Amino acid sequence: MKTLVIVSHPYPEQSKAIQALEQAARQVEGVEVRNLETLYGHDTFAFDVAAEQKASEAADRIVFLFPIHWFNLTPMLKGYLNQVWGYGWAFGPGGAALKGKAMQVVVTAGATDHLYAPQGLIQSTIEDVLTPMKASALYVGMTYRKPLAFLGAMGLRDDKLAELQSTFGELLQPGQ
Ligand SMILES: Cc1cc2nc3c(=O)[nH]c(=O)nc-3n(C[C@H](O)[C@H](O)[C@H](O)COP(=O)(O)O)c2cc1C
């Protein structure tokens, strides 16, 4: 199974958790890692659409790795969906390039499961927050894997970051 990891973080210089997870992904053989801000800066229209589509076509599993900011996708990840998942490629007449592939969302979030609870302040789980990714996956015929969410992922010590890396590294193994 071939895995593509699409990483996005709007403030790479401040990132600890996503950066550690990206590093872990780069250690796994056979995994292609594409960091949207590294490749395209912060320009939500700058994508090399053909290159991105080709990378997705070659993968069986597409992993999206990003931090939760205001209970949402990052701007570059939203731009990626807008620009790369085009009509006629991902959906519409003749467009089924992603059909049958798996989507795996992996996020970090500052808050803990006290906040991400149906009875909590935001009355939403992390799965609820990620509904746009689930809907997008199902809309284009992908299978949607249970998201991997690292909650309370702020100010983590190195040993905890290493734990996150190991969990993510395992998920990226070909058989997973
Ligand atoms: C602008 C901004 C908005 C944030 N919004 C949320 C949020 O809505 N929910 C949450 O749990 N954490 C929120 N956080 C915390 C981040 O999710 C957390 O710092 C990040 O996932 C840790 O990964 P990093 O070290 O790679 O940045 C926010 C952080 C920033 C900077």
Side-chain angles (χ1 to χ4, degrees):
M1 180 168 64
K2 216 171 163 276
T3 299
L4 168 68
V5 179
I6 302 286
V7 190
S8 176
H9 195 302
Y11 315 113
E13 63 294 334
Q14 291 171 25
S15 167
K16 279 253 183 205
I18 293 293
Q19 203 178 74
L21 292 166
E22 176 176 352
Q23 244 174 41
R26 290 190 187 277
Q27 307 303 312
V28 184
E29 217 183 294
V31 170
E32 181 181 3
V33 179
R34 298 178 72 83
N35 183 305
L36 299 182
E37 285 77 9
T38 304
L39 288 165
Y40 308 112
H42 299 277
D43 185 344
T44 56
F45 290 89
F47 298 99
D48 180 339
V49 173
E52 294 304 328
Q53 290 181 343
K54 200 168 146 220
S56 284
E57 284 164 14
D60 306 297
R61 171 173 62 166
I62 305 175
V63 178
F64 291 99
L65 172 65
F66 57 96
I68 297 292
H69 288 166
W70 283 107
F71 310 104
N72 228 305
L73 311 184
T74 62
M76 282 298 280
L77 183 51
K78 181 58 167 47
Y80 171 95
L81 292 174
N82 288 358
Q83 301 293 311
V84 178
W85 284 26
Y87 181 77
W89 181 77
F91 67 102
L98 298 167
K99 198 175 164 139
K101 299 181 190 295
M103 181 194 286
Q104 171 74 62
V105 173
V106 180
V107 293
T108 59
T112 66
D113 52 8
H114 289 287
L115 183 71
Y116 291 104
Q119 313 304 334
L121 175 66
I122 64 169
Q123 299 181 15
S124 311
T125 64
I126 191 74
E127 285 81 11
D128 294 332
V129 169
L130 294 170
T131 298
M133 292 304 279
K134 177 181 178 180
S136 298
L138 298 179
Y139 188 69
V140 299
M142 298 177 85
T143 57
Y144 186 70
R145 300 268 176 89
K146 184 177 162 45
L148 173 61
F150 296 107
L151 304 182
M154 269 167 92
L156 297 181
R157 292 198 334 233
D158 287 353
D159 57 336
K160 189 68 195 165
L161 286 172
E163 222 175 88
L164 265 54
Q165 287 179 311
S166 144
T167 304
F168 187 42
E170 250 169 62
L171 180 91
L172 291 177
Q173 294 306 311
Q176 296 298 300

